[in-house]
Amino acid sequence: MDSTQTHEILPKIQSETHKNQQEEDDDSPTLSPFALDALKEFLASQSISKTFEENPEENNGEIELPLLSEDWRLSQFWYSPQTAITVASEVFTLFSQLSSEEPDVLPSVACISCPTLFIYLKRLYPTMSVQLLEYDTRFEQYGNDFTFYDYNLPEDLPQKMKHTYQIIVADPPYLCIHILLTSALFSLSSRKSEECLKKVAQTIPFLAKPEKNFLLLLTGEVQRDRAAKFLGLHPCGFRPEHSSKLGNEFRVYTNYNPGERLGGWDLEE
């Protein structure tokens, strides 16, 4: 997973990260400022994807934003840069789709306990409206883009956030099961993971805009049945990876059919 209540991370977005965003589009004077910003961000994301394809030898094919070292004792496992960019690109695709359907309404994105994704979204798509719900109060440095969140109090959130978000990405606390752990600890961890997911599943409908919303859940393969039971989600073929090469198999689950993106829905029984 990407985050828990005991995070020890602090974003350090530095100026030396790759700057592939195209900032000029003088040949499109008829586009609105919002459309121009969306076009620039789309071109930036395409440029980053192209870098992966053409220069895989650079940084092992990854464009990485600096983060503090993870601490496995606190269940801190950062996404690999390619995973973060893949999920961020999917969010932007959904964001663009919603924007085209309602040009006068700016879609809102909520990131529940996934600060790595939040950081990449802020960096790659700076005009996107993104809210981080997070237990670690050091993220207060993001000002109004940060909301304190304790999954034990799933609806203890500002009323202004209720039924506001069209796109929600959640990575609920998930305890890593190492092969050397005892069966008793495995059972405890399994129950804890189920509890976390069940409570986050209460937060999501509080946040989600009822008319239309897109939900992405990043969690373990072992949560597959629970993701379907609590949220009606299907797994995708894309397998998220972590910088620490976490042994547990992770999946992305969605409440919508992504088509060929994210590897499509994996409906195999």
Side-chain angles (χ1 to χ4, degrees):
M1 62 165 238
D2 184 55
S3 137
T4 67
Q5 294 183 1
T6 51
H7 295 313
E8 292 293 337
I9 61 177
L10 186 64
K12 297 181 179 180
I13 307 301
Q14 301 176 343
S15 60
E16 64 266 22
T17 55
H18 292 258
K19 297 180 180 179
N20 294 313
Q21 299 183 11
Q22 301 184 11
E23 299 178 347
E24 297 181 0
D25 190 14
D26 297 333
D27 295 330
S28 303
T30 61
L31 295 178
S32 67
F34 177 77
L36 283 171
D37 287 337
L39 177 60
K40 293 173 187 176
E41 292 178 355
F42 173 77
L43 293 174
S45 66
Q46 295 301 300
S47 176
I48 290 174
S49 297
K50 188 175 182 181
T51 299
F52 279 123
E53 297 173 358
E54 295 182 351
N55 303 293
E57 70 282 357
E58 295 185 9
N59 297 321
N60 295 320
E62 298 181 339
I63 295 175
E64 185 170 3
L65 300 183
L67 295 169
L68 288 182
S69 299
E70 60 192 18
D71 187 341
W72 67 267
R73 294 169 300 179
L74 300 176
S75 295
Q76 295 177 345
F77 305 105
W78 308 153
Y79 303 146
S80 70
Q82 188 163 9
T83 289
I85 290 174
T86 297
V87 178
S89 178
E90 175 65 14
V91 170
F92 181 69
T93 297
L94 301 174
F95 180 88
S96 300
Q97 176 182 325
L98 290 168
S99 299
S100 65
E101 294 173 356
E102 297 185 69
D104 298 329
V105 178
L106 183 65
S108 297
V109 181
C111 293
I112 303 176
S113 301
C114 45
T116 302
L117 176 63
F118 170 78
I119 291 168
Y120 273 79
L121 287 172
K122 295 290 289 183
R123 177 64 178 175
L124 298 177
Y125 312 113
T127 64
M128 185 182 292
S129 175
V130 186
Q131 187 75 16
L132 175 64
L133 287 76
E134 174 56 53
Y135 188 85
D136 189 344
T137 57
R138 287 175 297 177
F139 282 93
E140 287 178 337
Q141 65 176 282
Y142 284 99
N144 292 333
D145 292 335
F146 168 86
T147 297
F148 176 79
Y149 174 67
D150 182 347
Y151 77 85
N152 289 300
L153 303 170
E155 297 185 14
D156 187 15
L157 295 166
Q159 280 297 306
K160 66 180 181 180
M161 299 177 70
K162 188 173 184 177
H163 299 165
T164 297
Y165 299 91
Q166 295 98 323
I167 304 171
I168 300 174
V169 186
D171 188 346
Y174 178 83
L175 301 181
C176 178
I177 309 300
H178 291 279
I179 192 170
L180 295 180
L181 291 181
T182 66
S183 59
L185 288 177
F186 181 92
S187 176
L188 173 62
S189 177
S190 178
R191 291 197 302 272
K192 188 67 174 177
S193 297
E194 180 177 5
E195 174 191 344
C196 294
L197 181 57
K198 184 180 295 186
K199 290 184 176 180
V200 170
Q202 297 176 41
T203 301
I204 289 170
F206 177 90
L207 297 172
K209 193 170 183 178
E211 296 82 7
K212 185 175 185 179
N213 59 77
F214 296 104
L215 170 61
L216 295 88
L217 173 71
L218 287 84
T219 190
E221 165 69 24
V222 297
Q223 298 276 49
R224 181 171 182 154
D225 291 342
R226 295 167 185 163
K229 176 182 178 181
F230 298 148
L231 293 164
L233 306 183
H234 299 287
C236 297
F238 173 70
R239 293 330 199 247
E241 296 181 350
H242 297 78
S243 296
S244 59
K245 308 302 180 185
L246 188 64
N248 289 18
E249 185 176 9
F250 262 63
R251 303 294 294 265
V252 177
Y253 303 85
T254 66
N255 68 340
Y256 65 93
N257 191 336
E260 296 183 357
R261 304 188 310 275
L262 299 178
W265 267 350
D266 180 3
L267 301 179
E268 180 180 356
E269 295 295 333

